[in-house]
Amino acid sequence: MIDDRVVLPHKVIREKPDRGPVGATMHACIVVRIYGRSQCRHAFEIRDFLSRSVVRFTWTPIDTDDDCTHLLGLSLADAGLPIVDLPDGTRLRAPSVAEIAARLGWVSDPKLQEYDVSIYGAGPAGLSAAVYAASEGLSVAVLEREAVGGQAGYSSLIENYLGFPGGISGGDLAERARQQAVEFGAELLLMRDGLSTRFADGRVHTTLGDGTTVVARASVCATGVEWRRLGLDREEEFIGSGLFYGAGTSEAPTCSDLEVFVVGGGNSAGQAAMNLSSFAKRVTMLVRGQTLSATLSSYLEERVARQPNVDIRTDARVVGLEGGKGLTAIHIEDSRTGEVEVVETQRLFVCIGGDPATEWAAGTPIARDDHGFVITGPDLPTSDWPLDRAPFYLETSVPGFFAAGDVRRNSVKRVASAVGDGAMAITFVHHHLASSG
Ligand SMILES: Cc1cc2nc3c(=O)[nH]c(=O)nc-3n(C[C@H](O)[C@H](O)[C@H](O)COP(=O)(O)OP(=O)(O)OC[C@H]3O[C@@H](n4cnc5c(N)ncnc54)[C@H](O)[C@@H]3O)c2cc1C
């Protein structure tokens, strides 16, 4: 049976005049069509990227020759799935996410030789820094390895961010912030992985994976955190074919009538459970601890408890994964008894927090703690700080290089605090630029 599912995860927010590649409104009127095998990781990565970028898409799983011939006029072997049809009629066969972004006009080169400030990462902290920097007259380039939004882009509904009493999806929030930053003149250099950093002449020289160099008089690092893995055998194999990290925003519509499992007891896991419960037959939260109250905000705990098709299983750890082409079962250990139960399921969503994305700082003088978080301001050991003046609150061990949001040691791990950090960092950037002439 062909399941031509239209996924319209987000509403269109507002349209802006086209300002060229960096300023083009990403999502307005775009409908991308994706065809691929239902358990294909590559197709999942495309759906996930488009969902976080607030692009409308349709998803048609194709698993038989008959369906493939009927829909695409080709056999499964010859089709080159996944296929992506763009709104301008272009058909891409097995494209990378970077290629899709480039074809949609989102990848551009820096316009200036030198910027007042470069910002690493386009999550809430980086986008906030971009809005404040650009609105206060600084030239600013945001360097992002993939889509805008960061972790927030994985959130189906953020309910505790000021000003949105009905909540807002992380993708929508990020898209609004992106529009605002671009409107003020910030340049967004997306899909730029593999940045490396060098400090010379009082400037920050950043080389991106594609060889582009961006020079800035100050920088804000806002690279956030990356999903923590379960650390199980075969985990890599099932990513995108039954195993997903985060709230499953792009995958929730594919869970209808399924029994799904969510690992984690924090707010992201609670949000995932609530979102998935609108589609799935039953959602079971697997919580390592003895209660949810220690880790979940009370508003979410109450909601989860009231939802009839959400179960909570405490003292539970996933210790194994089974399957063929896709996930078919998980092994759950009861930590009180040590007993392991094998439970059939095709969907496992993992929301167990993250580790700082600071691998790019290796080999630089930027001080990090034992877990890799960037140390700033008053937390810096005096031996790491080179100037007579005290470091500014969000300044790293390199003067003029600041850190904001989740990547920072002792940060609060909330959208609001990341946004606050981003705004505050720009105030310190002004002080630094004024003092360095
Ligand atoms: C599912 C989920 C639900 C959540 N719900 C809520 C909620 O309801 N309320 C709330 O307050 N908080 C919530 N949070 C937490 C919140 O999203 C984070 O605290 C916030 O996103 C942190 O923002 P950030 O900008 O510091 O980092 P991130 O959001 O992690 O963004 C970092 C960005 O940097 C980019 N990056 C990383 N490394 C590099 C590199 N080397 N080069 C270039 N770019 C790089 C990443 O791609 C990413 O875009 C949720 C988190 C998740 C995962």
Side-chain angles (χ1 to χ4, degrees):
M1 194 189 77
I2 298 168
D3 180 6
D4 192 352
R5 191 166 278 135
V6 180
V7 182
L8 300 173
H10 307 295
K11 61 184 183 295
V12 172
I13 299 162
R14 65 186 171 126
E15 295 193 20
K16 282 275 164 195
D18 189 342
R19 302 177 140 225
V22 269
T25 303
M26 283 187 173
H27 52 272
C29 305
I30 295 176
V31 178
V32 172
R33 297 189 186 285
I34 312 167
Y35 305 88
R37 289 180 185 263
S38 48
Q39 302 283 25
C40 171
R41 176 173 177 172
H42 188 166
F44 157 68
E45 284 167 355
I46 294 169
R47 294 196 300 277
D48 179 54
F49 170 72
L50 293 177
S51 170
R52 286 188 288 128
S53 303
V54 202
V55 170
R56 295 165 178 233
F57 62 87
T58 66
W59 161 234
T60 309
I62 300 179
D63 289 304
T64 65
D65 257 328
D66 279 355
D67 285 352
C68 202
T69 310
H70 172 68
L71 277 165
L72 302 170
L74 291 163
S75 69
L76 264 179
D78 295 334
L81 296 177
I83 278 181
V84 174
D85 285 344
L86 299 181
D88 67 358
T90 310
R91 170 160 287 183
L92 305 175
R93 289 197 155 73
S96 65
V97 163
E99 187 181 350
I100 297 170
R103 294 289 192 132
L104 290 173
W106 302 346
V107 181
S108 58
D109 291 324
K111 290 184 181 149
L112 304 182
Q113 299 280 336
E114 182 175 301
Y115 292 84
D116 292 322
V117 56
S118 59
I119 296 168
Y120 294 4
L127 288 169
S128 161
V131 165
Y132 283 93
S135 67
E136 291 163 17
L138 300 178
S139 57
V140 49
V142 182
L143 318 176
E144 166 57 54
R145 68 178 167 189
E146 37 166 31
V148 294
Q151 294 165 74
Y154 291 94
S155 172
S156 48
L157 194 65
I158 295 173
E159 293 184 81
N160 55 4
Y161 185 57
L162 197 72
F164 296 92
I168 181 167
S169 86
D172 280 351
L173 184 66
E175 173 55 19
R176 284 168 185 256
R178 185 198 68 82
Q179 288 182 9
Q180 207 171 359
V182 168
E183 185 77 358
F184 280 122
E187 273 184 48
L188 263 62
L189 306 177
L190 303 181
M191 308 309 294
R192 299 307 221 287
D193 201 1
L195 56 80
S196 66
T197 306
R198 189 170 60 85
F199 301 99
D201 324 319
R203 305 279 189 271
V204 184
H205 300 250
T206 308
T207 306
L208 306 171
D210 62 359
T212 312
T213 300
V214 174
V215 180
R217 297 168 61 210
S219 283
V220 178
C221 146
T223 49
V225 302
E226 319 202 53
W227 297 118
R228 198 168 292 145
R229 303 277 172 108
L230 291 167
L232 299 177
D233 287 346
R234 304 191 68 190
E235 189 167 353
E236 187 67 23
E237 190 186 323
F238 292 124
I239 297 173
S241 60
L243 172 71
F244 306 93
Y245 299 94
T249 313
S250 67
E251 298 314 293
T254 71
C255 293
S256 50
D257 299 328
L258 295 180
E259 302 256 357
V260 312
F261 288 78
V262 175
V263 187
N267 282 350
S268 57
Q271 246 180 47
M274 288 307 295
N275 184 40
L276 291 161
S277 69
S278 324
F279 299 89
K281 187 157 93 187
R282 180 150 297 281
V283 181
T284 305
M285 285 181 77
L286 301 173
V287 183
R288 206 172 41 170
Q290 292 172 350
T291 64
L292 266 186
S293 325
T295 46
L296 196 61
S297 293
S298 58
Y299 79 93
L300 263 177
E301 191 183 2
E302 281 162 23
R303 223 163 280 176
V304 164
R306 274 204 311 267
Q307 190 67 12
N309 63 338
V310 176
D311 290 336
I312 297 153
R313 200 161 152 174
T314 55
D315 296 294
R317 273 191 340 124
V318 177
V319 293
L321 306 169
E322 269 184 37
K325 282 188 177 158
L327 183 74
T328 55
I330 57 175
H331 301 189
I332 305 171
E333 183 186 75
D334 184 324
S335 48
R336 290 162 300 194
T337 62
E339 275 175 29
V340 176
E341 185 189 354
V342 178
V343 180
E344 287 186 10
T345 183
Q346 294 167 39
R347 294 285 190 281
L348 180 67
F349 294 87
V350 180
C351 303
I352 53 172
D355 295 314
T358 53
E359 69 295 334
W360 55 269
T364 72
I366 296 167
R368 291 178 291 163
D369 70 10
D370 292 344
H371 303 283
F373 287 99
V374 176
I375 307 175
T376 52
D379 289 346
L380 278 170
T382 42
S383 55
D384 283 334
W385 179 247
L387 301 186
D388 289 337
R389 71 159 171 85
F392 295 117
Y393 183 64
L394 297 179
E395 203 161 23
T396 70
S397 50
V398 176
F401 196 94
F402 300 85
D406 283 12
V407 76
R408 194 168 61 76
R409 181 184 181 189
N410 293 333
S411 63
V412 176
K413 313 286 184 293
R414 288 277 188 273
V415 172
S417 50
V419 167
D421 269 12
M424 202 193 322
I426 295 306
T427 300
F428 298 130
V429 165
H430 282 297
H431 293 326
H432 169 76
L433 294 178
S435 65
S436 59

